[in-house]
Amino acid sequence: MSSFSLFILAALLIAGGIAGFFLRKDLLTMLLSSEVALSGANLLLLVFASQASPTEAQAAVLAILTVAAAEVAVALAALAVVIREKGKATEDIVSEMKG
Amino acid sequence: MLNLAFWVLFLIILGGLGIFLFSRREERSVVSLAAVFSALGGVFALMGYTFLGAIYLLIYAGAVVVAFLMVAWLVSGRSQGGRSLRWAFVFVFLSLTLELGLILTYSHLTFKKAQAPALKLGSFFLQNYLYVFELTSLLILTAVISSLVLIRREK
């Protein structure tokens, strides 16, 4: 398991997340795609920091993970409200929303 | 052995990402991402970050994915998925449990109290980033309250 293969894995995750965000139309999958890209960024951070300061990198990843979990809680609640009001949650419905 | 485990996890992540990107059903995408996140937790453990790997498994593959799955069921209007999805869910759950067990066994076998990852991380956080730590807990509390306010039905 070399650093290069970990870079490739992180790049795949980030690319997969970005592709999912732009290719899919439903908000749930778009939100999931952002989580995938964030996981790739976390992996990249750990790979970069593994030689210099692993404890600091772990602390940063743990903080990012906590903030991401909080973000997911709010985003899913907002998504549930959109589904309740409109019946589905797609990109077009949200771009129509005002106020 | 570690190399082989890494490449197996790499293939699981690749396969899960493929299913996630090309599947039309939301539930299938979410279940495939459970596999991706749990395999990523395994990769973290293989890199030596066993505590982070276990946390990734518990929070991401456990809590976050289940929350997403509930919303996916809400979107699709079905109370549960088809038979194939149920088997996929059982498979992901069993592999997740197995992986968590392997991580815990590995960290138990290589455990040295002075270098315990959770101990080091906890001391590091509380000695250097106490205010950030407290702010994060405040953020979680705000997120919980705001999601409850958002989801509340107005009478």
Side-chain angles (χ1 to χ4, degrees):
Chain A
M1 186 178 61
S2 62
S3 293
F4 181 70
S5 47
L6 288 168
F7 277 136
I8 296 289
L9 183 59
L12 271 174
L13 282 167
I14 293 172
I18 292 172
F21 193 84
F22 287 107
L23 289 178
R24 305 295 292 261
K25 294 283 176 195
D26 52 310
L27 289 176
L28 185 80
T29 324
M30 287 168 82
L31 191 61
L32 270 171
S33 304
S34 66
E35 295 299 319
V36 173
L38 195 67
S39 298
N42 278 343
L43 180 61
L44 208 56
L45 182 68
L46 282 177
V47 176
F48 271 125
S50 60
Q51 302 297 323
S53 51
T55 313
E56 286 180 17
Q58 276 189 80
V61 169
L62 205 61
I64 293 170
L65 217 139
T66 317
V67 174
E71 168 232 312
V72 164
V74 179
L76 284 181
L79 208 62
V81 172
V82 172
I83 293 166
R84 199 168 61 198
E85 297 292 322
K86 304 279 179 184
K88 57 181 181 173
T90 54
E91 191 189 27
D92 312 330
I93 284 179
V94 175
S95 44
E96 281 168 15
M97 290 170 94
K98 284 176 188 167
Chain B
M1 189 67 188
L2 283 182
N3 261 333
L4 180 72
F6 171 74
W7 287 111
V8 169
L9 293 173
F10 189 98
L11 286 179
I12 292 173
I13 292 175
L14 210 62
L17 266 181
I19 296 173
F20 168 69
L21 284 176
F22 298 110
S23 171
R24 285 179 180 226
R25 281 175 63 179
E26 281 101 354
E27 299 107 306
R28 209 165 281 168
S29 299
V30 177
V31 172
S32 70
L33 270 199
V36 170
F37 287 139
S38 52
L40 198 61
V43 171
F44 285 166
L46 286 179
M47 287 168 74
Y49 304 115
T50 46
F51 176 68
L52 211 57
I55 290 291
Y56 225 82
L57 269 175
L58 290 172
I59 294 181
Y60 256 96
V64 170
V65 166
V66 171
F68 270 107
L69 197 66
M70 284 169 132
V71 177
W73 280 336
L74 193 69
V75 172
S76 65
R78 286 184 288 264
S79 59
Q80 54 187 357
R83 182 178 279 186
S84 61
L85 193 70
R86 235 173 293 164
W87 279 113
F89 205 61
V90 168
F91 174 73
V92 167
F93 173 74
L94 287 178
S95 54
L96 217 141
T97 314
L98 180 74
E99 200 181 329
L100 192 61
L102 282 174
I103 290 175
L104 289 179
T105 314
Y106 178 70
S107 53
H108 179 71
L109 289 175
T110 56
F111 182 76
K112 285 175 192 151
K113 199 176 176 187
Q115 295 171 346
L119 187 70
K120 263 170 73 179
L121 202 57
S123 327
F124 177 79
F125 248 127
L126 294 179
Q127 281 166 6
N128 301 301
Y129 296 107
L130 181 64
Y131 292 115
V132 176
F133 189 77
E134 292 300 331
L135 270 175
T136 313
S137 57
L138 201 67
L139 181 80
I140 294 173
L141 186 68
T142 316
V144 170
I145 293 170
S146 52
S147 49
L148 283 174
V149 170
L150 268 173
I151 207 94
R152 191 172 53 111
R153 276 180 195 275
E154 290 198 15
K155 288 177 185 172

